[in-house]
């Protein structure tokens, strides 16, 4: 069975050495000193290792069961959820007005990584609740907030997002669920929703469904869509639970992975719902959840990869097979451990350099969100909006490939379910598909985000890269290993951006044929930037400290690997983008 | 449930337009005229579509069960296996002396693709039998051949390969299974083998296990290994079945995929076995099976990808979601089909161009084997030996990624098991792991094959590329789209080869740090070569024919896509290779 240890030291390095959180001029950041964050991370790590991780394989093997209309979670999930609740973890980064602890998002993200790495399917029950909390917090009336948020902050009630219908996934304009206004000001919601994660379960007293539906008078397509709060149990005026609402679970899907999370078909048969936010402006409210969810899914991508990597590294040190090509490393043993082989190293370095770069990128985005939301910084908002599809699309694609690489280290044993490596792969696979399949992320990036606000966020990103390089230019040791490759990769990104500016309007197919490559090109540059920042932080720490040399040097070495072996692919992505749509769109439909 | 239609026209194009089989100076090839091969392919396609493919999902869902020591295959497998047997399919490319039909390997491979695409887990029962047949055919005594081959050619008896032990996978030198010589000339085999595909089942009268074991007097490591024939039921002098041998199934593994094939733990408790080939020369006999198996696994890689691609293309034409960016393609419908979107096209073109290139490469290798075995051509043998790790490693890596891309086209629906896309992914995953994990293929390629025979096969490959380009230089239409990119990619391969020649001896870690990239670099060049040959064949057909313009033009367009969008990655692989081992080997073990 796979084990998991929270990488507290690595997270601390991102928070304090790299992002220098306690020195940031962001409300709430001043109190984030290293001792406090370490204590929080240690406590979360203990829960993750001792309670959540041991349930991961159980959850996969047992899955969820639908019994008499109620979803039963795998053995041990309910107890574990109680422990998460009792630890106050769901409240960590929620509004103190509703019982939250008011910590910044950057800490919430780190805890999210740890819990997800230990048990992704389990952590989704909490994660989706946070998304629904945010939507109500942003768009709800004072009464709605008072009614729902305290219970959701504590996770006594959990939340869901109800978007997809059988015939309407990405294209929400096609959805058919209706909302009929009632005399009491509520709406009667009728329709079927599918792929509803945590749609039902036995771990909370109530479930608050946020449901997209069409109310009369709203126009065609997405314009007519509104968002509704539809609780499983109606809530009485005194806050106690009342009647069961007319929402039922049709079935649980049989999925490739995340078996421990119930993915439900939900049937709404005139269920009582209340408008959340403005009528016919449901897409906007939905995007509050969605953007948060997309960053969260990016975190899932590298979090599961991180757990898979840990187990691959341990296996590589343990499993004896073959001899080092330079001569036996352990002559007394029957064979050397796998880790002596250069190709195993290559694989582990791919994994390690991705996971650590992804962690830094995601944490930086969380910091930008904090800066935007707590500090009202619209530039930060523009930047994180630009980066969201990159984080979601790139980190989940690469995160999934990392789980594949980790599984590969186990050889044939990786294919056997009891080792748990298959589960990492199967669980991670969903991250490329849900909350907007990654092709949709690429479309969002090239079709919307690139030109948003007159291209200001994109220009700001290039400016940031330039400034980072300029600031560090004096450090000769960073030049060859970091600054030169970053400069070169960033130039590829600029050339690609120019290609889209030139072709976007007059030949949109040419632009969109390169959207996926652009997302990956952008992703590599962001990780190159983060590794450069981490390298600079490690250099600084090495100058300042005499202790932990080993740790900081490993950061530099891992970063050098990424810059030397991963970043050069930006040239290939650029070459592909420049071929435009000619070869992509050449065939007629019946030639496929 | 996914459907499958054998791509008969595409296979015919490879056999006749591209490889020009009936004009080759290889024994048995003259009779391969297009009418005959089409009839064979059609018949195989019918069986695949109507019998094997419908059982694929069943096999996945039911899996195999161990009941009272006997493995039960999923419902319908036994009937289907009878139909395969009755159709004479297993005998197709076997020796007529033992009941085979004596067709060349190139046809056997095409049928293997079709059956595997329809139902990989099912087809392995037959595939492994063929491997064991080849080992006995090559290394067996006249008596052994007479005893075992006729029944194996018909698949009345099936075969297995028993190599792996719990602690010994790639490193067979570690194996512990013992063979004690008996007075009657047989050996008593004792030990445990794991990961034995088709290790037991209820579809054949007998199972012939080929087992690696150590007999007394051999040296240490792999030198002491011999190969033994260990039948499940002993065979009497008259060919009838006698006593049950002392070999039992310990358990069936719970795997990520290929659930329809029983992967067994086999326990040998003094089982009666007979030496196959020379004492202490078991590795050589094993490699007869293994090399055939590696090519077969390469075929599995693209065959499953081919089935996944077919279903993705169909779904993309059927599923309505969003509108074409250039304006509604089907204004009367509520939305356009997915295939209007450039990024969906890109994905489908990636899939299609890989599958068709891989088919051509594998078929060419089969032709080389025929030329080597039937025509006693040692140059062909050298070339196919060089290409074997590329076919196994590259085609399974890319084949797996192709199944991922196909699954991705389905969006969230791809994650739901009933659509069958998850099964393609899970089934394809094993191909990267078994018969030598792909890292081992890369090691074999760089560490052994590259320098084999003084580098002659590698030089022959470069010569072939050069000759192909030279022959086609007069065709201006091929120049930009095919010859130039092939020339450039081949130059990258030459530079990489030079890097290994320079560093291989003095710094083996530097060479092996780039082995995986080299395997992929080589793979892309081989597919570039095959696409160039296919493009030339399509051009010729367009000059000669007035019919089927559409078909041949789609080949050219698909090839142009591959050359423009896939081949440029050779530059990245070369860049990675050139970084050597510095960043790969930088960390100490405890820094992972």
């Amino acid at each position: 069975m796979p084990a998991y240890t929270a990488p507290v030291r690595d997270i601390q390095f991102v928070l304090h050495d790299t992002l220098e959180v306690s020195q940031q001029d962001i409300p709430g950041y001043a109190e984030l000193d290293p001792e406090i964050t370490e204590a929080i991370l240690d406590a979360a790590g203990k829960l993750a290792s001792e309670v959540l991780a041991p349930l991961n394989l159980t959850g996969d093997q047992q899955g969820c069961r639908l019994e008499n209309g109620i979803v039963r979670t795998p053995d041990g999930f309910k107890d574990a959820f109680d422990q998460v609740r009792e630890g106050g973890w769901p409240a960590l980064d929620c509004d103190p007005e509703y019982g939250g602890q008011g910590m910044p998002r950057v800490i919430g993200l780190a805890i999210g990584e740890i819990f997800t790495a230990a048990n992704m399917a389990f952590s989704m029950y909490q994660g989706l609740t946070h998304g629904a909390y945010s939507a109500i917090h942003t768009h709800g009336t004072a009464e709605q907030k008072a009614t729902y948020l305290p219970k959701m902050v504590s996770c006594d009630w959990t939340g869901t997002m109800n978007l997809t219908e059988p015939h309407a996934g990405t294209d929400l304009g096609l959805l058919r669920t209706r909302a009929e206004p009632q005399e009491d000001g509520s709406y009667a919601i009728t329709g079927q929703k599918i792929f509803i994660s945590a749609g039902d379960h036995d771990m909370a007293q109530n479930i608050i469904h946020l449901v997209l539906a069409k109310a009369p008078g709203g126009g065609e397509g997405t314009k007519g869509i509104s968002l509704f709060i539809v609780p499983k149990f109606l809530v009485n005026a005194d806050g106690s639970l009342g009647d069961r609402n007319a929402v039922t679970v049709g079935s649980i899907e049989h999925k490739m992975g995340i078996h421990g999370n119930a993915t439900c078909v939900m049937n709404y048969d005139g269920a009582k719902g209340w408008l959340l936010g403005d009528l016919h402006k449901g897409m906007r409210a939905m995007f509050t959840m969605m953007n948060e969810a997309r960053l969260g899914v990016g975190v899932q991508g590298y979090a599961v990869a991180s757990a898979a990597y840990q187990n691959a590294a341990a296996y590589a040190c343990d499993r004896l097979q073959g001899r080092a090509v330079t001569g036996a490393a352990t002559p007394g043993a029957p064979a050397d451990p796998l880790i002596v082989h250069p190709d195993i190293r290559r694989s582990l370095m791919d994994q390690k350099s991705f996971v650590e770069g992804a962690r830094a990128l995601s944490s930086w985005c969380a910091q930008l969100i904090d800066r935007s939301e707590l500090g009202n910084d619209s530039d930060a908002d523009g930047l994180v909006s630009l980066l969201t599809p990159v984080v979601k699309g790139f980190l989940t694609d690469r995160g999934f490939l990392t789980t594949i690489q980790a599984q590969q280290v186990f050889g044939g044993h990786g294919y056997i379910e009891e080792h748990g490596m298959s589960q990492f792969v199967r669980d991670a696979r969903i991250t490329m598909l849900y909350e907007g399949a990654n092709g949709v992320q690429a479309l969002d990036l090239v079709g919307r985000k690139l030109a948003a606000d007159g291209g200001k966020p994109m220009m700001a990103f290039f400016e940031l890269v330039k400034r980072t390089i300029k600031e560090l230019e004096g450090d000769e040791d960073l030049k060859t290993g970091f600054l030169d490759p970053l400069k070169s990769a960033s130039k590829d990104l600029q050339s690609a951006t120019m290609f889209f500016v030139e072709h976007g309007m007059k030949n949109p197919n040419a632009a969109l044929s390169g959207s996926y490559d652009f997302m990956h090109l952008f992703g590599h540059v962001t990780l190159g930037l983060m590794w450069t920042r981490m390298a600079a932080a490690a250099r600084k720490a090495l100058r300042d400290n005499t202790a932990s040399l080993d740790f900081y040097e490993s950061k530099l070495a891992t970063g050098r690997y990424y810059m030397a072996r991963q970043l050069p692919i930006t040239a290939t992505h650029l070459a592909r983008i420049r071929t435009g749509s000619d070869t992509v769109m050449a065939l007629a439909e019946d030639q496929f």
Side-chain angles (χ1 to χ4, degrees), chain A:
Chain A
M1 199 173 75
Y4 175 70
T5 308
V8 173
R9 185 74 201 270
D10 291 302
I11 298 176
Q12 287 280 85
F13 173 74
V14 168
L15 292 177
H16 301 290
D17 295 283
T18 311
L19 298 179
E20 299 179 316
V21 287
S22 62
Q23 295 158 52
Q24 299 300 311
D25 177 27
I26 303 172
Y29 268 52
E31 57 195 272
L32 293 180
D33 66 58
E35 288 69 30
I36 285 183
T37 59
E38 188 176 8
I40 296 173
L41 294 170
D42 278 342
K46 192 171 147 64
L47 186 63
S49 298
E50 295 175 6
V51 179
L52 308 189
L55 287 175
N56 200 32
L57 206 55
T58 313
D60 185 60
Q61 287 168 350
Q62 291 189 2
C64 296
R65 305 178 308 284
L66 183 60
E67 288 177 0
N68 303 319
I70 294 168
V71 171
R72 299 292 170 195
T73 52
D75 293 349
F77 268 42
K78 194 167 184 320
D79 280 353
F81 204 66
D82 284 341
Q83 290 188 53
V84 167
R85 228 173 340 229
E86 283 155 19
W89 295 106
L92 194 75
D93 59 357
C94 292
D95 188 345
E97 202 178 329
Y98 305 101
Q101 297 177 40
M103 299 285 285
R105 190 74 67 97
V106 77
I107 288 294
L109 181 133
I111 305 306
E113 175 196 321
I114 292 171
F115 287 0
T116 298
N119 195 327
M120 174 171 158
F122 175 88
S123 302
M124 289 171 64
Y125 293 98
Q126 179 190 338
L128 284 153
T129 306
H130 197 289
Y133 154 86
S134 294
I136 298 175
H137 190 261
T138 309
H139 302 281
T141 63
E143 193 192 334
Q144 286 172 334
K145 293 195 215 183
T147 303
Y148 299 106
L149 292 189
K151 292 289 190 181
M152 294 176 77
V153 162
S154 65
C155 266
D156 287 325
W157 301 353
T158 63
T160 71
M161 292 166 61
N162 289 241
L163 283 57
T164 305
E165 299 181 7
H167 61 289
T170 300
D171 193 347
L172 289 170
L174 299 174
L175 65 81
R176 292 182 192 142
T177 298
R178 317 294 315 174
E180 290 298 329
Q182 306 296 299
E183 290 191 357
D184 64 356
S186 73
Y187 288 77
I189 313 290
T190 303
Q192 187 179 65
K193 296 286 181 177
I194 64 168
F195 299 165
I196 308 309
S197 298
D200 194 60
H201 58 89
D202 53 5
M203 306 193 294
Q205 301 153 7
N206 201 4
I207 299 176
I208 310 305
H209 304 289
L210 299 191
V211 184
L212 285 186
K214 287 188 174 173
E220 287 295 300
T222 56
K223 287 190 198 78
I225 294 175
S226 305
L227 186 60
F228 298 89
I229 302 175
V230 186
K232 177 178 176 181
F233 290 99
L234 299 177
V235 183
N236 298 322
D238 64 356
S240 65
L241 296 185
D243 290 344
R244 185 74 164 77
N245 207 346
V247 46
T248 52
V249 180
S251 60
I252 304 182
E253 304 283 5
H254 299 102
K255 308 186 300 291
M256 186 177 181
I258 49 167
H259 296 159
N261 197 280
T263 305
C264 299
V265 174
M266 303 298 297
N267 294 320
Y268 293 86
D269 301 306
K272 229 175 185 20
W274 288 269
L275 184 67
L276 175 61
D278 296 334
L279 188 65
H280 307 318
K281 297 276 198 290
M283 292 300 282
R284 206 178 59 187
M286 190 274 292
F287 267 109
T288 302
M289 281 193 293
M290 188 58 108
N291 281 331
E292 175 175 328
R294 286 178 174 177
L295 283 173
V297 173
V299 173
Q300 289 181 327
Y302 82 81
V304 177
S306 146
Y309 159 70
Q310 279 189 12
N311 285 280
Y315 189 80
C317 292
D318 187 55
R319 171 85 172 171
L320 306 183
Q321 209 78 182
R323 287 292 185 192
V325 67
T326 47
T330 49
D336 289 338
L338 285 179
I339 202 162
V340 302
H341 302 297
D343 188 61
I344 295 287
R345 291 279 185 142
R346 171 200 62 81
S347 170
L348 291 174
M349 290 302 291
D350 277 348
Q351 297 169 46
K352 181 173 164 64
S353 64
F354 164 73
V355 167
E356 294 178 13
R359 176 181 296 126
L361 173 62
S362 303
S363 302
W364 177 47
C365 283
Q367 193 184 55
L368 288 171
I369 293 175
D370 286 332
R371 190 177 289 286
S372 156
E373 292 184 357
L374 307 174
N376 279 314
D377 183 328
S378 67
D379 290 345
D381 183 53
L383 197 49
V384 81
S385 173
L386 172 70
L387 292 171
T388 296
V390 179
V391 168
K392 198 284 181 181
F394 180 70
L395 296 193
T396 61
D397 274 1
R398 303 298 302 185
F400 173 71
L401 289 182
T402 301
T403 63
I404 292 289
Q405 289 190 305
Q407 183 188 31
Q408 189 74 14
V409 171
F410 279 67
H413 296 275
Y415 203 63
I416 308 300
E417 291 291 354
E418 68 188 89
H419 289 290
M421 302 308 286
S422 164
Q423 187 190 352
F424 290 135
V425 171
R426 291 184 290 98
D427 285 357
R429 182 65 184 92
I430 188 61
T431 64
M432 297 156 68
L433 291 163
Y434 64 13
E435 309 309 344
N438 285 356
V440 175
Q441 305 299 325
L443 179 64
D444 177 49
L445 176 63
V446 168
R448 200 177 296 151
K449 300 296 175 64
L450 201 53
D453 199 8
K456 208 172 128 192
M458 193 69 213
M459 298 305 289
F461 179 79
F462 284 125
E463 193 50 46
L464 185 65
V465 172
K466 218 169 110 182
R467 199 167 64 234
T468 303
I469 293 172
K470 206 180 155 81
E471 277 169 16
L472 299 171
E473 253 168 3
D475 189 335
E476 272 303 310
D477 283 352
L478 288 181
K479 191 172 180 312
T480 326
F482 293 89
L483 305 182
D484 291 348
L486 177 60
K487 206 180 287 183
S488 165
S490 170
K491 215 175 132 190
D492 289 340
L493 185 64
Q494 281 176 309
S495 303
T497 305
M498 282 309 298
F499 180 89
F500 294 126
V501 171
E502 281 165 27
H503 294 82
M505 294 301 284
K506 64 178 188 237
N507 185 358
N509 277 342
L512 294 182
S513 294
S515 58
Y516 214 88
D517 279 288
F518 187 73
M519 181 172 76
H520 275 253
L521 168 46
F522 203 164
H524 278 292
V525 174
T526 57
L527 257 57
L529 173 65
M530 297 320 295
W531 268 118
T532 302
R533 291 178 63 177
M534 286 194 280
R539 294 271 302 157
K540 182 170 182 299
L542 285 168
R543 282 193 300 271
D544 297 351
N545 290 293
T546 45
S548 303
L549 293 185
D550 197 55
F551 176 81
Y552 292 115
E553 272 159 8
S554 81
K555 287 290 168 197
L556 281 165
T558 308
R560 276 189 212 105
Y561 179 90
Y562 192 87
M563 304 307 277
R565 307 258 318 181
Q566 290 292 345
L567 213 50
I569 202 170
T570 57
T572 298
H573 288 303
L574 176 60
R576 283 188 191 143
I577 288 165
R578 283 184 165 152
T579 65
S581 61
D582 290 354
T583 63
V584 175
M585 306 297 284
L587 295 187
E589 279 183 34
D590 60 6
Q591 288 178 310
F592 281 94

